[in-house]
C-alpha cells in the first residue's frame, strides 16, 4: 500500500523540472563571474538528488525499525534535528510572493527574458549574497539598464547572462529589478536558493560610500527579517564561487564581519 501511494505522489525532481522547462531548450553561456559555462540543453540550476533518494532500499527489518529509531532521535534532538539526520527537507514556510517591499525600495522590474530574468520560480531562500558592480562610479539606474539590455541578445545564440534582485546606488537609492519569487543569474551555482544584492561603489577599491552602506544594511536587515534569516546567513559572492566580489569585503575580512554585526543590530 505504501508503494502505491508513493507511486501516485509526484516526483520532486519532476516538479522542479517543469519549473525550468522554459529555459531548458536554449541555455546561454554564462558571462565571466557567473560560474562555469553551461552546455546547450543543460540545466545549471537543477537541484541535486536528496540523500534519501540516493540511498539504496533497506531490508524489511531495517525499514520496520527505522520509524522507531527516527522517533527516538527526534525526541532527543528535537523534531527538526531528527528529520535532518534522516535526510528529509525542512519545511519552508515563507511565501515569497506575499512579501511587500517597503516604500524606500523602488521597484523597476526588467523585462522577462532568457539572459537576465528567466521567469523561473525561486522556491526558497537560504542565503543573501552581497556583490559589487565592478564598474566604478556607475549608478543603480545604469546597472539596471545593463541587465535589461541583455534581453536584446539573440536567444538562439550563446550570450551574456547576469542579473540581481536589488541594486543599491551611490546615493543610497535602492532598486528592485527582479521579484523575490524569481531566480536571478547572479551567484551560480546557488541561484536556486539565494537573493542577490548588487552594490555600486565610487572607486576601484570597491568600498561603499556611507549612504550606500547605510542603505545596504537597512535593506539586508529587512530581508533577513522577512525571510526568517540571520546575519549568519549573509554571504559574499566570493564565498560561492571564489570570485573577488565584493572586492572590498574580500580584501578586508574585518569589515565584512563588521557589516554582519551592523545588520544584526539593525534587525532588532
Amino acid at each position: 500500500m505504501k508503494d502505491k501511494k508513493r507511486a501516485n505522489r509526484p516526483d520532486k525532481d519532476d516538479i522542479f523540472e517543469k519549473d525550468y522547462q522554459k529555459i531548458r531548450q536554449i541555455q546561454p553561456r554564462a558571462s565571466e563571474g557567473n560560474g562555469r559555462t553551461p552546455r546547450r540543453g543543460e540545466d545549471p540550476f537543477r537541484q541535486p538528488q536528496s540523500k534519501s533518494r540516493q540511498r539504496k532500499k533497506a531490508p524489511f527489518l531495517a525499514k520496520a525499525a527505522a520509524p522507531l529509531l527516527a522517533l527516538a532521535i527526534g525526541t532527543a534532538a528535537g523534531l527538526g534535528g531528527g528529520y535532518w539526520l534522516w535526510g528529509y527537507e525542512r519545511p519552508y514556510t515563507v511565501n515569497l510572493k506575499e512579501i511587500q517591499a517597503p516604500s524606500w525600495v523602488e521597484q523597476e522590474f526588467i523585462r522577462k527574458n532568457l539572459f537576465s530574468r528567466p521567469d523561473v520560480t525561486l522556491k526558497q531562500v537560504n542565503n543573501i549574497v552581497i556583490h559589487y558592480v565592478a564598474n566604478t562610479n556607475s549608478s543603480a539606474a545604469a546597472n539596471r539598464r545593463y541587465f535589461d539590455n541583455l534581453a536584446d541578445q539573440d536567444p538562439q545564440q550563446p550570450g551574456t547572462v547576469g542579473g540581481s534582485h536589488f541594486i543599491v546606488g551611490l546615493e543610497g537609492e535602492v532598486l528592485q529589478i527582479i521579484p523575490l519569487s524569481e531566480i536571478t543569474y547572479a551567484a551560480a551555482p546557488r541561484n536556486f536558493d539565494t537573493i542577490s544584492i548588487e552594490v555600486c561603489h565610487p572607486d576601484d577599491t570597491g568600498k561603499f560610500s556611507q549612504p550606500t552602506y547605510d542603505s545596504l544594511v537597512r535593506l539586508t536587515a529587512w530581508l533577513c527579517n522577512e525571510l526568517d534569516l540571520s546575519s549568519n546567513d549573509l554571504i559574499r559572492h566570493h564565498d560561492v564561487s571564489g570570485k573577488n566580489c565584493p572586492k572590498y569585503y574580500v580584501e578586508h575580512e574585518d569589515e565584512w564581519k563588521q557589516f554582519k554585526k551592523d545588520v544584526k543590530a539593525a534587525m532588532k
Side-chain angles (χ1 to χ4, degrees), residues 19-63:
D19 279 347
Y20 286 84
Q21 61 185 343
K22 299 176 184 176
I23 63 171
R24 280 181 55 80
Q25 299 304 316
I26 305 170
Q27 196 59 247
R29 295 186 181 275
S31 60
E32 184 177 358
N34 280 283
R36 67 178 179 81
T37 300
R39 296 185 295 275
R40 184 173 295 276
E42 177 187 9
D43 188 345
F45 306 108
R46 182 169 181 170
Q47 292 175 319
Q49 288 187 337
S50 65
K51 292 180 180 178
S52 59
R53 284 177 57 84
Q54 293 174 348
R55 285 197 295 267
K56 294 182 179 179
K57 292 183 178 179
F60 175 79
L61 290 179
K63 282 186 176 182

Side-chain angles (χ1 to χ4, degrees), residues 106-121:
E106 187 175 354
Q107 292 182 318
E108 293 187 17
F109 297 148
I110 60 177
R111 290 172 286 168
K112 294 180 180 180
N113 70 95
L114 183 65
F115 299 98
S116 56
R117 186 188 169 189
D119 192 21
V120 175
T121 300

Side-chain angles (χ1 to χ4, degrees), residues 195-250:
I195 293 293
S196 281
I197 305 174
E198 287 277 1
V199 189
C200 300
H201 48 95
D203 55 46
D204 288 332
T205 66
K207 184 176 182 179
F208 308 142
S209 68
Q210 194 61 48
T212 299
Y213 182 84
D214 292 343
S215 288
L216 177 61
V217 169
R218 186 184 189 187
L219 172 63
T220 309
W222 171 75
L223 283 169
C224 284
N225 284 329
E226 292 290 331
L227 299 170
D228 197 22
L229 301 176
S230 75
S231 58
N232 292 327
D233 298 313
L234 305 178
I235 59 177
R236 303 162 297 182
H237 190 183
H238 172 78
D239 300 317
V240 178
S241 66
K243 184 180 179 182
N244 191 27
C245 173
K247 180 181 178 182
Y248 188 74
Y249 286 149
V250 173

